Amino acid sequence: MPDTHPDTTPHTAAGPSEGLPATTRLWHLVSRPQGTPTADDFALVEAPLAPPAEGEVLVANTHLSVDPYMRGRMNDTKSYVPPFALCEPLEGGTVGVVVASRASDVIVGSTVQHMAGWREHAVLPAAQVRVLDTDAAPAPAYLGALGMPGLTAYVGLTAIAGLTEGDTVFVSGAAGAVGSLAGQLARKLGAARVIGSAGSPEKVAWLVDELGYDAAFDYHDGPVAQQLRDLTREDPVDVYFDNVGGDHLEAAIGAMADHGRLALCGAISTYDATEAAPGPRNLMLAVARRLTLRGFIVSDHGHLAGEFHRTVGPWLTSGEVRYRETVVEGIDRMVEAFLGLGTGANTGKMLVAV
Ligand SMILES: NC(=O)c1ccc[n+]([C@@H]2O[C@H](COP(=O)([O-])OP(=O)(O)OC[C@H]3O[C@@H](n4cnc5c(N)ncnc54)[C@H](OP(=O)(O)O)[C@@H]3O)[C@@H](O)[C@H]2O)c1
């Protein structure tokens, strides 16, 4: 879907000094959170806005993504992405509009996606932005349903869990960005029964009434293992899409069918833990039931992005697969939006509108 403009004329129209602010605001991480992050771990900083150099573009960001993986980058530990540096601009998925360009292949007015998020404006090499086709989908969708979270749902179900026709699928965190897509895509890809868990009655109703889940439960209503067992006693789970970890993972292991597959996507219930979370106490069932538990990181599966767009793009356009965004207004509320991921403040993808 990317729409790159093969225009090679020089773009001198909007220089950075013409009507653009001399400064911009951006977020720093100023201390490494211990447990749940607090507002004091972050600072909104005003910085000079440099004009783009040769080969660079200046982007006015319109929507900034907050994602659970960012919590891991706030720790000073080795992982699949490096930690955020203290007192440097934070990063994350973003869409915006090019307001000045010294790159012949990205013209002023283009809507672009890039990783210089948590800030109002970004100056970056044109090679680091991807021009978006906003006729195909609104720009914010490229941060959610049509972007990394949507691809994560698709990869987890297909490449990792090997979803097959007739499977019973359980998705935790089912009303979030990844989960809300995972349940619907499972159905479209042939699942016979789809079950979800989420954190409020409103989210449970959304899953069942609008997204087509066969059943869903609020994990606050009682032990997850008991609620899941009640729903799967006659029909055990073939595929578990794990966004939550902890008690959800243990409950799912207990509800799996023989030869069941568990796609370990995330474990948000453990991200703020200050000590190692206990493992599932029933792991021996993985032996007895010949289960496959497989973790994955979506960025290892970029080669599936084209297939994902071709398959899922039309379903999103037609409304066969639905998505929702929770949009927090104002860059000054970015930390509130990020912390809201841990309290379930979002339904669907959490975004900040600049
Ligand atoms: N492996 C990968 O490549 C990859 C890529 C993207 C995302 N992920 C993972 O996928 C998961 C979902 O990410 P997302 O971007 O779609 O976020 P999200 O689900 O849109 O937002 C997080 C949601 O997690 C739920 N939650 C928070 N604390 C919880 C807890 N203690 N127990 C149960 N639920 C809790 C909240 O919903 P409730 O109201 O339902 O509690 C919240 O809305 C995360 O674990 C993330 O790390 C992995």
Side-chain angles (χ1 to χ4, degrees), residues 11-23:
H11 300 286
T12 52
S17 56
E18 295 168 28
L20 294 170
T23 62

Side-chain angles (χ1 to χ4, degrees), residues 54-73:
E54 184 59 33
E56 290 185 335
V57 293
L58 168 56
V59 183
N61 293 333
T62 56
H63 293 84
L64 311 170
S65 181
V66 287
D67 297 272
Y69 79 85
M70 293 170 173
R71 176 64 188 86
R73 293 194 69 185

Side-chain angles (χ1 to χ4, degrees), residues 67-69 148 152 173 176-179 198-199 203 219 243-244 248 265-269 271 296-298 341-342 344-346 348:
D67 297 272
Y69 79 85
M148 182 275 282
T152 302
V178 174
K203 290 183 180 183
Y219 62 83
N243 288 313
V244 170
H248 278 76
C265 174
I268 195 164
S269 69
Y271 292 174
F296 71 103
I297 296 297
V298 64
L341 295 171
N346 60 308

